[in-house]
Amino acid sequence: MKYLHLKLFVFVGLLVGFSQVQGQQLPSNSQRVHQDVPFVQEYAIKYYSEEVPMLDKVYADRNGTVQILSKSGLLRPHAGAFLYPGTLTPDKTYLAMKDKNIVSISTVENQFVYLDDKAVFSNAWAGSLYLQHELPSAASFAHGKDFTFLVSDGGHIHLVSKDGVSYKGKISGSPVIEITYDAATERFLLLAENKLMSFSPADKKLKTLTEGAGFTSFVVREGKNKLAIATKDGYFEWDLLSDKKVGQKQNALPWPVLTSLTEINGLLWFGSEQGAFMEKEDGKFNYYFGERWLPGDKVLHISQKNADEVLILTDKGLGKLVFMSQTLAEKAAYYEQQVRDRHIRHGFNATLRDMEKGNFNTGRIKDSDNDGLWTSMYLAGQAFRYATTGSPFALQNVKESLDAMERLYTINDIEGFPARSFSRSGFKDQLGGSEHWQDIEDPEWVWKATTSSDEVIGHVFVFGVIAELVDNEALRQQAIGLLDQLMTHIVENDWYLIDFDGKHTTWGRWNPEYVNGFPTMVGDRKLNSSNIIAMLQTAYHFTGKEMYKKEAYKLMDKHGYLENLMRPMEEIGQAKEGSDDWAAMLSQKWNHSDDEMYFLGYWGLYRYAFTDELKEKYKETIKDHWEAERPEKDGLWNIFGALVDRENFDLEEAVWYLQEYPLDLINWNVKNSHRKDIELLEPNFRNQSTKEVLPPDELKMRRHNGNRFELDGGRDGKEEMSAGDIWLLPYWMGRYMDVISKPVSN
């Protein structure tokens, strides 16, 4: 089984190092646990063509050598590894071939065989294969029985073997574009743009089997006595025993204008003008489109390299898909290194920006309005990791990122007010949102104001996780102290987050007058009520201060916050006509950042509920929200679903999310809205564009606050996102909750 190049995986054994020291675990009588056995993880290695010659075909021989045929001669891939693209370079291996006008290439017995204007020949078999075909304009050929070849120049066919040319025939109409051989019926099959033909070497008869239009490629289905024929509008199958068409043409494909067709391991692979795709056994497709997978959009040829590699030649170079075996734990180890290598800024979990076409060595770690939120989510994942494995690496990560979180509170002089971010001041004019950056007495540093409610709920979530799960008293007290400072600030400022200017921030508002000022169908009324009760319960649970409990009950009983947070999701929608502009703006469409805030708050809402009666109510509303989110198949939401009901949550979909997330977290451009194999829905409040969500590796990179039904988008390879919050949080939370097992030995 092939693995990523050595440099990529040398650290796996060190990082996985699954300690037998167990931290705190949730009690479980559930049998719904995913056993972490190896699954197939795919990734791409790309080779760009610098001169962009007219590329034609690609094959690999039994030695693993890859050759690409172009109009300027044979090429081969140079260098190239995962995340490190290679190039195509002239193949000078056999100097004596330099003067040959090679027009086609194939493999026989996994050896390269070539066609030029004089002969069919090979360097294998000690160079003994050299069959002159007498067609100076030869363009295509195929191997038959006992080293017999059928050669065509489009309008003629010659049958050649060691005994010479034994047959010459003429083709009428459109020229032959491809030839193949069917061993079961012992005949060659020829494809023209408007017809399918057969030629029997035994009786030397050429016959037209069917006529049509727009034929582009074909392949014999091994062991099925069928031929699949690609067209400019889908494909159809042909029965090779009865010579009749099978069923109807299939054009509900990712893109129906097909350019290439092959069969690998019993599955059809299609090349098109909009990427490549493989038809799975269930009739759905794996779609490979955009530079996550391929150098160019138009696919010219597809072939198999070995049991776990597929070569896809495009108009701009070669894409090699590698299918390796790994566990979720091994994937986590790779992502852990990705985060530590290039996504940590002063302890924050950050995004790499301003990259040059996927080259992460050219990027910079970017500050964010949400530094505190993304870091809270990464930090929680590391706390879950430590509680599960006892990893000293995870504990050190917790220490470093918690220090960054603490400095959000100490870099300004507002008691209990967390900055959005902080940065060195040297490039203040280049920092995003520069109007919100504030100077301090130390000229070396600036901090960012206008902190939002989504930062706050992230902070409370992770402070609670650390306080409960990390068996390090200094870290626990550090987290509890920050939690207490934050919540004291909010309570003492009448449920507002008060900024440097003495005014509340735009979103830091949980005051009853503000919250209940929204119509009941506006989501912020339910959201803010849910979040503040979760925050107060968390603060009470770890500080024991009666103030937090008293104020929570006042909000629930006097101001209706319990009723607000219990409101069913089906009642959330657009504000009625006549509502104020703020309510109308907030309810134009479903806000996926709200989902993230809800679910992060659910940890404290459910886990630290004041009473069992309240806990049952919270369970009801959490399950109601989870049901509304099920179509998105978000891994984190499904793991949170297990928090309240370990027997009835979408474990398979959570694992699907984790397994299908691409190793390449570069935000390449993607496009899916053109696909003909997806069922589009009418525009709706939740912006669910398709009946079924697409896999993560076919979508643009997005965090949990993004709409997973958004079909197109990306940043043209200029950004690499961190796995810290996107992937590691749901994985380690699943491990801690014991719904994902540690790696299972073979």
Side-chain angles (χ1 to χ4, degrees), residues 195-216:
K195 60 184 174 181
L196 172 68
M197 298 164 282
S198 68
F199 174 75
S200 170
D203 56 20
K204 306 295 191 295
K205 287 186 178 180
L206 179 67
K207 183 169 69 171
T208 296
L209 300 180
T210 189
E211 295 184 347
F215 299 164
T216 59

Side-chain angles (χ1 to χ4, degrees), residues 58-236:
V58 60
Y59 285 101
D61 70 1
R62 63 182 295 270
N63 303 310
T65 302
V66 175
Q67 285 189 332
I68 299 102
L69 177 64
S70 76
K71 297 301 181 185
S72 60
L74 292 174
L75 307 172
R76 64 189 305 155
H78 169 67
F82 178 56
L83 298 179
Y84 296 88
T87 59
L88 300 182
T89 188
D91 189 334
K92 302 177 181 178
T93 310
Y94 283 89
L95 185 61
M97 290 177 60
K98 186 176 181 180
D99 63 343
K100 293 188 177 298
N101 179 30
I102 299 174
V103 294
S104 191
I105 183 175
S106 186
T107 56
V108 176
E109 296 179 357
N110 291 320
Q111 303 280 12
F112 290 128
V113 178
Y114 310 99
L115 176 71
D116 70 0
D117 52 1
K118 296 183 178 63
V120 175
F121 67 97
S122 177
N123 295 313
W125 305 290
S128 60
L129 179 64
Y130 189 85
L131 308 175
Q132 297 189 48
H133 52 64
E134 301 178 12
L135 281 173
S137 299
S140 58
F141 75 122
H143 167 249
K145 189 177 181 180
D146 298 329
F147 283 87
T148 299
F149 293 84
L150 189 66
V151 181
S152 177
D153 62 1
H156 303 83
I157 56 172
H158 286 189
L159 185 66
V160 300
S161 66
K162 63 181 180 180
D163 298 322
V165 178
S166 60
Y167 174 83
K168 297 181 179 182
K170 188 173 183 179
I171 305 295
S172 60
S174 298
V176 172
I177 54 177
E178 275 192 23
I179 308 173
T180 190
Y181 183 74
D182 176 35
T185 58
E186 296 188 343
R187 59 179 176 171
F188 289 96
L189 300 165
L190 302 87
L191 189 70
E193 188 274 335
N194 65 347
K195 60 184 174 181
L196 172 68
M197 298 164 282
S198 68
F199 174 75
S200 170
D203 56 20
K204 306 295 191 295
K205 287 186 178 180
L206 179 67
K207 183 169 69 171
T208 296
L209 300 180
T210 189
E211 295 184 347
F215 299 164
T216 59
S217 185
F218 65 168
V219 65
V220 173
R221 309 286 318 263
E222 292 295 329
K224 299 179 181 178
N225 295 314
K226 290 181 181 179
L227 184 73
I229 302 174
T231 77
K232 295 180 180 179
D233 184 32
Y235 82 101
F236 65 93

Side-chain angles (χ1 to χ4, degrees), residues 400-417:
E400 292 178 10
S401 288
L402 187 56
D403 284 345
M405 297 288 289
E406 181 176 47
R407 197 172 183 208
L408 291 174
Y409 292 81
T410 60
I411 198 167
N412 66 70
D413 58 4
I414 310 168
E415 186 67 29
F417 181 88

Side-chain angles (χ1 to χ4, degrees), residues 511-520 522 525 564 579-580 583:
N511 182 279
E513 183 179 355
Y514 172 76
V515 171
N516 289 332
F518 289 113
T520 56
V522 175
R525 181 165 177 160
N564 288 344
S579 299
D580 63 53

Side-chain angles (χ1 to χ4, degrees), residues 244-403:
K244 292 182 179 179
K245 184 178 179 182
V246 179
Q248 300 297 314
K249 181 189 289 186
Q250 303 295 319
N251 55 16
L253 309 175
W255 191 243
V257 184
L258 302 178
T259 57
S260 178
L261 184 61
T262 192
E263 185 179 72
I264 298 176
N265 298 329
L267 300 175
L268 286 176
W269 282 76
F270 302 84
S272 79
E273 294 183 347
Q274 300 279 351
F277 41 96
M278 175 194 74
E279 186 173 29
K280 299 185 291 186
E281 292 180 355
D282 62 3
K284 297 179 182 179
F285 297 92
N286 279 354
Y287 190 32
Y288 305 96
F289 178 73
E291 287 190 83
R292 180 178 299 156
W293 304 109
L294 306 173
D297 293 342
K298 184 177 181 179
V299 175
L300 307 174
H301 187 237
I302 302 175
S303 65
Q304 185 174 12
K305 184 173 185 288
N306 51 41
D308 49 18
E309 295 182 352
V310 174
L311 304 173
I312 302 179
L313 189 65
T314 76
D315 56 343
K316 294 183 180 179
L318 174 67
K320 180 171 73 172
L321 302 185
V322 181
F323 299 82
M324 71 173 180
S325 174
Q326 68 172 179
T327 62
L328 288 176
E330 288 173 322
K331 191 169 184 176
Y334 167 69
Y335 281 148
E336 294 284 359
Q337 184 66 18
Q338 184 247 17
V339 175
R340 303 310 302 180
D341 183 45
R342 52 188 182 271
H343 289 280
I344 299 298
R345 186 187 74 87
H346 301 314
F348 291 127
N349 172 48
T351 298
L352 203 64
R353 294 276 181 86
D354 299 336
M355 293 160 47
E356 297 174 4
K357 208 65 174 175
N359 182 354
F360 57 75
N361 289 318
T362 64
R364 67 185 179 97
I365 310 176
K366 180 73 170 62
D367 65 272
S368 167
D369 279 2
N370 297 110
D371 273 340
L373 175 59
W374 310 143
T375 304
S376 293
M377 298 173 75
Y378 167 64
L379 185 50
Q382 294 305 295
F384 286 127
R385 177 187 175 196
Y386 175 70
T388 304
T389 68
S391 164
F393 299 104
L395 184 62
Q396 183 62 31
N397 296 342
V398 169
K399 290 179 179 179
E400 292 178 10
S401 288
L402 187 56
D403 284 345

